[in-house]
Amino acid sequence: MLSKVRTSALEALADVADGATVMVGGFGNAGMPMELVDALIEQGSRDLTIVSNNAGNGTTGVAALLAAGRVRKVVCSFPRQSDSFVFDELYRAGKVELELVPQGNLVERIRAAGAGIGGFFTPTGYGTPLAEGKETRVIDGKGYVLEYPIHADVALIKGRLADRWGNMVFRKTARNFGPIMASAAKVSVAQVEEIVELGTLDPETIALPGIFVSRVVAVGKSARAAA
Amino acid sequence: MTQTPSYIAWTRDQMAARIANDIEDGAVVNIGIGMPELVANHLSPNKEILLHSENGILGMGPKPAADAVDPDLINAGKQPVTLLDGGAFFDHSLSFAMMRGGHLDIAILGAFQVAENGDIANWSTGKPGAIPAVGGAMDLAVGARQVFVMMEHLTKDGQSKLVHRCTYPLTGLGCVTRVYTDLAVLDVTADGFAVRELCPGLTLEALAALSGLALTATSHPGV
């Protein structure tokens, strides 16, 4: 029987190694897998590279992981927020490395990893400081930058419902990076509100087919998502 | 150059109203974070304008009532929004395909500087110690069919934000099509900035002096 269901977030993350590259879904707090990030903090792996759109808000989630001193490097598009003080302080103190990636290049590099693409030419960033040192090409008169895929050891994502085969549906703008990141990691772990019986999800609305999901954990309706 | 200006600059709402007026019925528009957000308040109810948000919304609606806030329904500025009837949600890859792939009619961006060759600088002042952040600005700059910039014409110390060439780190090359400032509306043309409209009391010559640039008038004279 194929079942990707795990009984707890900690069990689902037990094998995350020191030095791992971990993708964390979410845009702001929408789609941020808070319970999984909490479990990663408890699990104890260190020297992590975090790939996420932002670099943490307030004192929870990725910010808490940063504050615990467990992150070596952040790959993201928009670290600066009104409440990104944890990242800001570590960055200014030289305690965390930053790779700033334009948002569309970030998601496309992740998509490329999941789709087996070895690199791609994108117009985004051409001629700007974020393309410095990168290979460029002019195609049909337009400038492009060569960007490479971003692979991960682990992806942490949040959906609304899953079945035991890992098929998932999402909710509103909480989908964002989730389905893409799941495809780009060796092990993708999803937290959902509820795990439902096979056949319950409308196959026409499954936004992430289970082939991209390694493990699912039901965490109930996250009260903290609204924080 | 120190004489009291004889012109009356437009307010931010007047700037926003001008932009809203220039958006055609049926257009798909991405409104950037910051000053451009005002444009949403001036969109005519007589036009159907589809707002795109980079985090996966087409057909974004206004801010919800306080008791109808949904933490899973936010805009690019992470503020709560609503979805119009006919609106759609999608993942980030598809959202940025819309942006980068030339599917948006207009992107409205704020800026630190716009150059007369259409270059824009809007993500970093390059100051040491600043936390750099770029988000989706570079994708909008290269991808939208038209890029409108909304910004003050002058910095607080009187420097023109319209420039010959940008000195701040670039966001995109040659992509800006029109600039709306508190002093004028200008098209970016092969011959530099062409003025479409001037705020009351301002002349083309005075604007050129304030901007430190040679300006032309378009064939669409304003007020």
Side-chain angles (χ1 to χ4, degrees):
Chain A
M1 189 175 94
L2 176 62
S3 179
K4 297 174 178 180
V5 177
R6 297 293 182 272
T7 53
S8 75
L10 196 56
E11 181 198 336
L13 298 178
D15 54 358
V16 178
D18 288 354
T21 295
V22 181
M23 290 177 176
V24 181
F27 182 93
N29 282 337
M32 170 66 65
M34 287 289 186
E35 281 74 4
L36 291 179
V37 176
D38 285 348
L40 185 62
I41 293 170
E42 191 181 343
Q43 186 262 352
S45 52
R46 316 191 64 83
D47 202 25
L48 302 173
T49 293
I50 297 296
V51 181
S52 196
N53 188 58
N54 305 109
N57 303 73
T59 54
T60 58
V62 170
L65 192 63
L66 283 160
R70 307 270 293 284
V71 180
R72 180 181 70 79
K73 179 179 176 182
V74 174
V75 181
C76 76
S77 89
F78 210 85
R80 187 183 64 229
Q81 313 254 286
S82 58
D83 58 354
S84 61
F85 45 86
V86 172
F87 173 83
D88 297 358
E89 194 173 305
L90 289 168
Y91 178 73
R92 291 203 174 100
K95 289 180 177 165
V96 63
E97 189 186 335
L98 170 67
E99 180 180 347
L100 188 72
V101 183
Q103 200 171 153
N105 289 358
L106 182 64
V107 73
E108 193 63 13
R109 290 175 65 188
I110 297 167
R111 200 196 72 81
I117 303 294
F120 58 93
F121 284 99
T122 174
T124 304
Y126 180 80
T128 77
L130 296 188
E132 267 169 22
K134 296 185 174 183
E135 194 175 331
T136 60
R137 187 172 298 182
V138 174
I139 301 171
D140 284 341
K142 187 169 172 178
Y144 294 83
V145 185
L146 177 60
E147 291 284 0
Y148 292 100
I150 302 175
H151 294 271
D153 297 298
V154 184
L156 310 183
I157 68 164
K158 176 185 172 180
R160 184 183 193 184
L161 302 172
D163 62 28
R164 65 180 168 82
W165 286 359
N167 295 306
M168 284 176 60
V169 296
F170 294 81
R171 192 164 178 278
K172 302 186 179 181
T173 58
R175 190 184 316 182
N176 58 65
F177 284 87
I180 316 300
M181 287 181 167
S183 74
K186 289 179 195 147
V187 175
S188 56
V189 182
Q191 69 168 65
V192 293
E193 290 174 15
E194 195 185 336
I195 292 166
V196 298
E197 291 297 318
L198 293 180
T200 306
L201 300 178
D202 176 359
E204 300 284 359
T205 66
I206 290 170
L208 177 57
I211 192 170
F212 297 119
V213 178
S214 316
R215 300 165 189 170
V216 290
V217 184
V219 299
K221 215 173 162 81
S222 177
R224 293 178 42 200
Chain B
M1 294 295 287
T2 55
Q3 69 196 57
T4 311
S6 55
Y7 57 83
I8 303 163
W10 289 315
T11 65
R12 288 183 174 196
D13 273 313
Q14 287 172 319
M15 294 160 67
R18 273 179 169 70
I19 297 173
N21 189 52
D22 288 349
I23 300 173
E24 289 183 8
D25 192 14
V28 182
V29 181
N30 184 298
I31 295 178
I33 299 169
M35 201 195 292
E37 290 175 57
L38 286 172
V39 175
N41 300 339
H42 294 272
L43 295 175
S44 165
N46 301 320
K47 292 179 189 172
E48 279 192 336
I49 290 164
L50 275 181
L51 296 183
H52 171 269
S53 186
E54 68 187 15
N55 56 320
I57 313 176
L58 201 55
M60 181 170 63
K63 196 167 72 174
D67 61 354
V69 167
D70 182 339
D72 283 343
L73 182 43
I74 59 174
N75 65 12
K78 281 104 180 170
Q79 300 303 306
V81 291
T82 52
L83 187 74
L84 300 181
D85 288 346
F89 298 121
F90 33 84
D91 67 48
H92 244 75
S93 173
L94 199 56
S95 185
F96 278 76
M98 293 177 194
M99 296 157 72
R100 194 195 306 109
H103 305 282
L104 301 185
D105 293 300
I106 303 170
I108 307 169
L109 302 174
F112 298 129
Q113 290 177 325
V114 177
E116 57 189 357
N117 61 359
D119 291 356
I120 174 173
N122 83 343
W123 66 280
S124 168
T125 57
K127 280 183 192 149
I131 309 284
V134 66
M138 289 185 176
D139 301 280
L140 285 170
V142 301
R145 291 189 196 127
Q146 293 186 78
V147 175
F148 289 179
V149 168
M150 177 181 182
M151 65 179 187
E152 307 288 349
H153 203 97
L154 305 172
T155 63
K156 287 194 179 75
D157 55 1
Q159 298 292 310
S160 176
K161 296 168 81 168
L162 296 183
V163 293
H164 174 61
R165 291 292 181 268
C166 295
T167 54
Y168 286 141
L170 290 176
T171 305
L173 273 62
C175 52
V176 176
T177 51
R178 188 176 293 167
V179 184
Y180 295 81
T181 77
D182 53 332
L183 303 186
V185 180
L186 310 97
D187 283 330
V188 178
T189 74
D191 301 318
F193 291 112
V195 178
R196 295 174 66 87
E197 191 176 358
L198 292 161
C199 71
L202 191 63
T203 63
L204 188 64
E205 294 70 28
L207 184 70
L210 281 170
S211 308
L213 295 168
L215 304 175
T216 58
T218 66
S219 49
H220 311 282
V223 178

